[in-house]
Amino acid sequence: MTDTTPVFHLEPEVLLAYSAGSLDEANSVLTATHLALCPRCRHEVARLDAVGGILTTQLAPTALASDALTAVLARLDEVPSPVEDKVAAAIDDETRHWVPEPLRHYIGTSLSALPWKRRGFAIHELPLSLGAGSVRASLIRTGGGAALPAHSHDGVETTLVLRGAFRDDSGRYARGDVSTATSADDHRPVADPDDECLCFSVIDGSLRLTGRFGRLLNPFIRI
Ligand SMILES: [Zn+2]
C-alpha cells in the first residue's frame, strides 16, 4: 500500500457541519473515514472543535441531570461484547488494510464476504444501510480500467477512494481523496488500469443517468 496525503478534500462547510454534529449518518461516516486518512482535515476539525468548545463555554450553563456523571463513568467501563469480538475476528487482513474505521465497523465483515450486487461489467455495488430519506450510501468496487456509466444527479455525490484510483474530467482521485460532484457535473469516472478501485459513495438526491447507456442502466441502480 502506498499511503499518501490526500490531494482532494471535503468542502469546508462539510467539516464545519461535522464538527457541529449536524451531518446525517452517512455523510458523518464518510467524513470520519476521510479524517482517518487525512491529517490536514483532522487538523481543521480539531480547530473547529476548539472554536465550538469556546462558544459552548460562553453560553449560559445548563443544569446536568443528577445521574449524568454516573452515566458517563459507566460508559467508560464498557468493554467490547463477545459479539463485537466475534465480528472483529471475522474481518480479514485485506479489509483491515483498505477499509479504515469507522467505516469498517459499519461493514462488519470482510469485503470478500459481502453480498455485492453486479452493476455492469467489472462493477459491483454494496448498498449500506446508512442512508435515510434521499441519502444513499454504498461501496463501489470496480476492476482495473473499468468505466462507470456516465451520470449526473440531482443532489451531491461524495466519493471517497479507499483503494486504487479513478479519473474523471476534474482530475485523478487516489486513496483518501474525496470527489464532490454536484448536479451540474456530468462525469464518467474510469478506474486506473493497474489495480481494482474501491470507493465509498454517498449520494444526496437521486441519480439521473445520461449518456448512451443511461436509459438501459437506470433500472440496475434502483432509481
Ligand atoms: Zn482532507
Side-chain angles (χ1 to χ4, degrees):
M1 170 172 62
T2 50
D3 264 338
T4 52
T5 305
V7 176
F8 297 96
H9 302 272
L10 286 158
E11 300 292 327
E13 311 84 71
V14 175
L15 295 181
L16 183 60
Y18 177 81
S19 175
S22 57
L23 277 184
D24 62 89
E25 186 181 17
N27 280 298
S28 291
V29 173
L30 189 145
T31 300
T33 307
H34 173 69
L35 293 182
L37 298 170
C38 183
R40 180 177 135 173
C41 288
R42 273 204 304 276
H43 183 263
E44 180 60 13
V45 168
R47 194 181 68 83
L48 292 167
D49 286 350
V51 172
I54 292 167
L55 291 174
T56 304
T57 56
Q58 289 175 350
L59 296 174
T62 309
L64 286 175
S66 59
D67 60 348
L69 179 61
T70 310
V72 170
L73 293 175
R75 285 186 63 182
L76 293 178
D77 290 336
E78 283 176 8
V79 293
S81 70
V83 173
E84 285 176 339
D85 285 345
K86 208 171 156 187
V87 167
I91 298 175
D92 65 17
D93 290 344
E94 183 200 20
T95 308
R96 285 179 203 287
H97 193 78
W98 295 113
V99 184
E101 293 287 11
L103 179 58
R104 194 194 304 152
H105 173 84
Y106 279 85
I107 294 172
T109 188
S110 296
L111 289 168
S112 58
L114 293 168
W116 295 92
K117 298 180 188 309
R118 191 168 176 196
R119 299 295 187 214
F121 180 71
I123 301 169
H124 290 84
E125 181 186 15
L126 181 88
L128 296 170
S129 53
L130 279 170
S134 63
V135 179
R136 204 177 113 202
S138 59
L139 291 179
I140 310 282
R141 198 172 195 178
T142 74
L148 286 161
H151 63 278
S152 62
H153 28 80
D154 294 333
V156 175
E157 177 184 39
T158 310
T159 305
L160 169 65
V161 180
L162 301 172
R163 175 177 182 172
F166 72 81
R167 277 177 196 281
D168 66 14
D169 293 346
S170 59
R172 177 177 180 272
Y173 297 82
R175 178 169 164 84
D177 282 332
V178 176
S179 156
T180 305
T182 67
S183 54
D185 300 309
D186 188 352
H187 60 158
R188 182 179 173 80
V190 180
D192 273 12
D194 53 347
D195 192 9
E196 71 170 72
C197 186
L198 176 68
C199 295
F200 176 30
S201 164
V202 175
I203 296 172
D204 198 341
S206 56
L207 257 177
R208 179 168 54 83
L209 288 178
T210 57
R212 246 176 98 199
F213 302 107
R215 248 169 52 128
L216 259 177
L217 285 165
N218 256 332
F220 294 97
I221 55 170
R222 302 168 295 113
I223 292 174

